[in-house]
Amino acid sequence: MKFLITRAEPHASQLAAALNAKAISTEAVPVMSIAPVELSGAARSRLMNLDLYDSVIVISANAAELLAAHLDQYWPQLPVGIEWVAIGQATANMLASELGELSSDQIHVPDGTDSEALMQLPVFQQVSGAKVLLVKGEGGRDVIHQTLSERGASVTELVLYQRQPAMEFAEQLVQVFRQQPQFVQIASGDSFLNLLAMLEGHLDRGSVVSSDAYWLVPSDRVADLLHSHQVRKEKVLVCNGASNQAILARIQELL
C-alpha cells in the first residue's frame, strides 16, 4: 500500500514512522506553505498588551510557534491570569514547549479538533464582557469569532501567517498521483484545495477526485468539501481528528 502524506515536516516524518511500523509504504509531499506575515503596528500593540486579555486562543501549531517567537521579544515572563486555549493536543504541546512557562495541563484543549468543539469548552460558556485574543493564520472560518461575539465577548484577531499552495513540490505531487496511491491524508479544507491547485495543468481534476484512493480527513466538514468536488462518499474516511493515532485507528478499521 502507498500512503501519501501531505503534511509538512516534522509532522510528516512522525506520521510516516507510525505508518511504516504497520508495513504501510509512505510518500510525503507537503501541499501547504506557511509564510509568516510582517506585523503591523496594531499587531505589535496586541502582543505588547497581552495582559489585557482574559483568554488567548491559538488555532494551530504554526500559530503557537510564531506566537512564542514574538512573545519572547515582549514578555520575558508571561502575564498571569490568562486562560490559554489550543485547538488540538499538537497545538497545545507546541505552545507549552515553545513558551516554556506553561505546561500542557494549563492549556484548555477541546475533545474535537474544529471550531465547534472549541466552543463547547466550559471556559467559553459565560464570556459576556471578556476580552479574547484569537491567534491564527490569514483567512479560515469565522465560527470562533462569530460565536464568541454573539455570547458577548470582545474578540481581537492576531494574524501571524499565510497559507499558500507549496508549488515548489507540484512536480513531486504529480508523480505520486501518477503512481496511484491507495491513501491520501488531508489535514484541512485548505490542504485539499492546495493539492488541487498544485495538480492543475498536470493531471485532469476529474481523474484525481474519481480515483480509487481513500482520502483520510479530520472532520465531517472537510469530508463535505471533498464531496462537493465529486470525491465519492465511500472513498472519504473521516478520522476522529488529525492526530497520528486517529489516522492509524481509521486505517485499521478499514483493513
Side-chain angles (χ1 to χ4, degrees):
M1 294 182 291
K2 175 62 73 69
F3 190 109
L4 171 60
I5 299 171
T6 63
R7 294 174 175 173
E9 293 293 357
H11 311 294
S13 292
Q14 293 164 1
L15 178 56
L19 291 167
N20 294 160
K22 300 292 184 181
I24 297 175
S25 176
T26 59
E27 182 84 25
V29 184
V31 298
M32 187 178 294
S33 174
I34 300 299
V37 299
E38 185 176 349
L39 295 183
S40 64
R44 287 193 293 271
S45 178
R46 288 161 193 163
L47 288 165
M48 288 187 287
N49 293 303
L50 186 70
D51 57 331
L52 300 181
Y53 295 98
D54 300 294
S55 301
V56 176
I57 302 173
V58 185
I59 294 296
S60 66
N62 290 311
E65 186 174 19
L66 290 168
L67 175 64
H70 289 304
L71 289 180
D72 190 53
Q73 303 177 44
Y74 298 104
W75 292 93
Q77 185 172 357
L78 289 177
V80 298
I82 294 176
E83 299 281 4
W84 293 89
V85 186
I87 292 188
Q89 194 58 52
T91 301
N93 292 343
M94 176 67 77
L95 194 61
S97 172
E98 292 296 317
L99 288 178
E101 298 175 51
L102 288 178
S103 62
S104 294
D105 59 5
Q106 293 176 292
I107 302 170
H108 300 277
V109 183
D111 289 334
T113 57
D114 57 17
S115 302
E116 287 80 5
L118 189 78
M119 291 296 92
Q120 297 301 314
L121 285 172
V123 70
F124 291 133
Q125 301 314 301
Q126 302 292 330
V127 291
S128 181
K131 294 182 178 179
V132 180
L133 183 65
L134 181 58
V135 186
K136 59 192 289 285
E138 191 174 73
R141 304 170 70 212
D142 198 34
V143 173
I144 297 172
H145 195 145
Q146 181 178 343
T147 304
L148 289 178
S149 297
E150 290 171 352
R151 294 178 184 178
S154 172
V155 183
T156 302
E157 295 188 357
L158 177 61
V159 175
L160 297 183
Y161 62 91
Q162 297 175 320
R163 305 176 188 86
Q164 305 168 3
M167 299 307 295
E168 63 271 30
F169 296 103
E171 184 56 39
Q172 184 180 351
L173 185 66
V174 170
Q175 293 304 320
V176 173
F177 267 91
R178 284 178 175 157
Q179 296 166 12
Q180 300 180 337
Q182 282 76 44
F183 298 98
V184 182
Q185 169 265 329
I186 295 293
S188 65
D190 282 340
S191 294
F192 177 67
L193 296 176
N194 286 348
L195 180 146
L196 294 181
M198 291 167 66
L199 295 175
E200 193 74 37
H202 300 279
L203 294 175
D204 177 67
R205 178 175 294 195
S207 67
V208 172
V209 299
S210 64
S211 72
D212 285 331
Y214 286 98
W215 302 73
L216 288 101
V217 301
S219 67
D220 289 329
R221 178 180 59 83
V222 180
D224 289 341
L225 175 64
L226 268 68
H227 298 155
S228 73
H229 282 76
Q230 284 70 58
V231 180
R232 287 174 289 164
K233 289 190 176 183
E234 67 271 18
K235 289 296 183 179
V236 180
L237 306 179
V238 179
C239 306
N240 184 27
S243 69
N244 294 347
Q245 294 82 355
I247 292 170
L248 287 168
R250 191 66 181 91
I251 292 176
Q252 202 156 356
E253 287 176 15
L254 177 68
L255 299 179

